[in-house]
Amino acid sequence: MRLLVTGAAGFIGSAYVRGLLARGGAGRGPAVSHVTVLDKLTYAGTLSNLETADPRLTFVHGDICDAELVDTLMKQAGQVVHFAAESHVDRSITGADAFVRTNVEGTHTLLEAALRHGVQRFVHVSTDEVYGSVETGTSPETAPLDPNSPYAASKAASDLIALSYHRTHGLDVRVTRCSNNYGPHQFPEKIIPLFITNLLDGEDLPLYGDGLHVRDWLHVEDHCHGVDLVRTKGRPGEIYNIGGGTALTNRELTGRLLEACGADWSRVRHVADRKGHDRRYAVRDDKAREELGYRPRHDFAAGLAETVAWYRDNRSWWEPLKRSALTGGAR
Ligand SMILES: NC(=O)c1ccc[n+]([C@@H]2O[C@H](COP(=O)([O-])OP(=O)(O)OC[C@H]3O[C@@H](n4cnc5c(N)ncnc54)[C@H](O)[C@@H]3O)[C@@H](O)[C@H]2O)c1
């Protein structure tokens, strides 16, 4: 079976493709014989994230909004896993055009072509941010969508369009909503890689507001495992939350990063809070656990230590990226 993966020159998509190829494409259902990656190589995508010499992988440099290109690729695809997106909240606050275009129009372009060519399965990768800020308790898949940032609103719109293609046309669409990912190969603009690389460079850490915003941390490999369980064992038309099980305030996270890098609080600079900053996200992922056997396998302390070590050992990966495009602040 040929799999089309969008956005796999980025952080999570590339981890998904690396993992799939390392396992030889095996899983429940038809084995993956070939992976085609479609990626526009925006500031967030880099070919150095992928083993492009692998004969089981074809890389196509292009835009998910390009209907003609998408049509050609979809003709050959058995299944689709859709990661491509504009993904940084701060950038959506300074300019939302690319978010609406890629996240909403791009997803629609993919769905139209998938329907036209009878693609077997379409996994749409979404986010817990669509539920908005949750002061207490956890969001199940049935919670109302209440997104606050332009990023989250564009993801909520694309989720609903994706689900409508199942409900209206019967296309086998499955939606995942995960919490904050961390791990190697993450563009150094989001809090963990930004803070690690700043510490490695002797720079300050810009901590938003009072630092008491709570995020649940999910290792990228656990997320990819969850996405593949949804692709291979999930049910059409269903939404699956994927959590990491480690909820921390940004202040607590900062303390752990300082400790891991042998630095102290004098390196932290409090900056004005992000506009509309969601206080807390918390997904309930019982459905993925009970139905698919999903469990996050990475211990957070060990995963964070490995991530710090990866950035320490791979300066040549992140230094040029960081130099090229930074907006300041962190997720
Ligand atoms: N990173 C997280 O913590 C997180 C959490 C929840 C959900 N998600 C979702 O997971 C998915 C992947 O996130 P990520 O962190 O890997 O993002 P990323 O920003 O690292 O990568 C996005 C990739 O999409 C590509 N892309 C962007 N616009 C495109 C277009 N128009 N056509 C083709 N390719 C395009 C980029 O070049 C890049 O390679 C996104 O849909 C995101 O909303 C991410």
Side-chain angles (χ1 to χ4, degrees):
M1 188 272 296
R2 293 177 76 92
L3 185 69
L4 175 63
V5 186
T6 70
F11 168 46
I12 305 172
S14 68
Y16 179 78
V17 169
R18 286 194 303 273
L20 196 67
L21 293 177
R23 291 195 308 279
R28 242 173 93 121
V32 176
S33 55
H34 194 88
V35 177
T36 301
V37 169
L38 171 60
D39 197 294
K40 189 178 173 181
L41 296 180
T42 67
Y43 77 95
T46 167
L47 272 184
S48 62
N49 282 343
L50 289 170
E51 191 46 73
T52 46
D54 190 319
R56 298 166 298 168
L57 178 70
T58 302
F59 179 77
V60 179
H61 183 195
D63 191 332
I64 58 167
C65 300
D66 179 342
E68 211 173 302
L69 174 63
V70 165
D71 192 78
T72 306
L73 297 177
M74 210 59 88
K75 248 183 233 163
Q76 304 151 9
Q79 300 181 1
V80 178
V81 183
H82 173 35
F83 291 98
E86 286 292 337
S87 71
H88 190 36
V89 174
D90 285 342
R91 288 175 185 265
S92 79
I93 295 169
T94 51
D97 288 14
F99 288 75
V100 175
R101 189 174 172 279
T102 288
N103 300 1
V104 184
E105 291 175 30
T107 300
H108 172 245
T109 304
L110 291 167
L111 288 162
E112 267 297 299
L115 182 63
R116 201 160 43 245
H117 294 295
V119 156
Q120 297 153 15
R121 280 177 204 175
F122 188 111
V123 180
H124 174 71
V125 177
S126 187
T127 168
D128 59 359
E129 299 195 26
V130 298
Y131 298 120
S133 195
V134 191
E135 299 305 314
T136 54
T138 52
S139 312
E141 290 83 355
T142 48
L145 302 190
D146 191 15
N148 291 311
S149 70
Y151 161 68
S154 69
K155 291 296 290 188
S158 60
D159 273 34
L160 295 179
I161 294 168
L163 289 167
S164 80
Y165 271 67
H166 171 72
R167 291 174 193 156
T168 305
H169 300 295
L171 185 66
D172 180 342
V173 171
R174 301 153 190 217
V175 171
T176 63
R177 293 179 184 152
C178 68
S179 53
N180 273 33
N181 285 220
Y182 74 99
H185 295 267
Q186 185 170 26
F187 189 88
E189 65 182 350
K190 296 185 183 155
I191 189 165
I192 289 184
L194 177 69
F195 281 15
I196 295 172
T197 57
N198 279 11
L199 287 167
L200 294 175
D201 274 347
E203 289 167 14
D204 289 348
L205 310 186
L207 184 62
Y208 275 140
D210 61 9
L212 297 181
H213 306 83
V214 178
R215 301 294 184 261
D216 168 48
W217 290 99
L218 168 65
H219 194 281
V220 65
E221 286 172 10
D222 286 329
H223 179 206
C224 292
H225 176 59
V227 167
D228 219 47
L229 284 173
V230 170
R231 180 180 69 81
T232 56
K233 290 175 78 176
R235 286 177 293 134
E238 294 294 320
I239 303 162
Y240 296 90
N241 287 341
I242 302 176
T246 304
L248 294 174
T249 64
N250 286 345
R251 232 187 123 69
E252 288 167 332
L253 175 66
T254 303
R256 295 202 189 200
L257 290 169
L258 288 169
E259 200 184 330
C261 295
D264 63 37
W265 281 92
S266 65
R267 300 286 290 280
V268 177
R269 177 169 46 89
H270 286 273
V271 296
D273 206 357
R274 164 193 281 163
K275 284 203 237 172
H277 203 172
D278 285 337
R279 203 65 181 161
R280 177 174 174 269
Y281 303 126
V283 285
R284 189 183 309 163
D285 61 6
D286 299 2
K287 181 172 167 182
R289 287 172 186 260
E290 284 161 20
E291 224 181 88
L292 311 176
Y294 167 73
R295 296 276 179 289
R297 298 170 184 163
H298 285 77
D299 166 70
F300 183 74
L304 195 68
E306 280 163 24
T307 303
V308 169
W310 188 86
Y311 281 90
R312 190 174 282 135
D313 296 343
N314 289 278
R315 187 174 269 278
S316 60
W317 181 87
W318 57 265
E319 216 166 31
L321 299 177
K322 195 168 179 181
R323 251 200 317 267
S324 71
L326 272 186
T327 53
R331 184 176 195 255

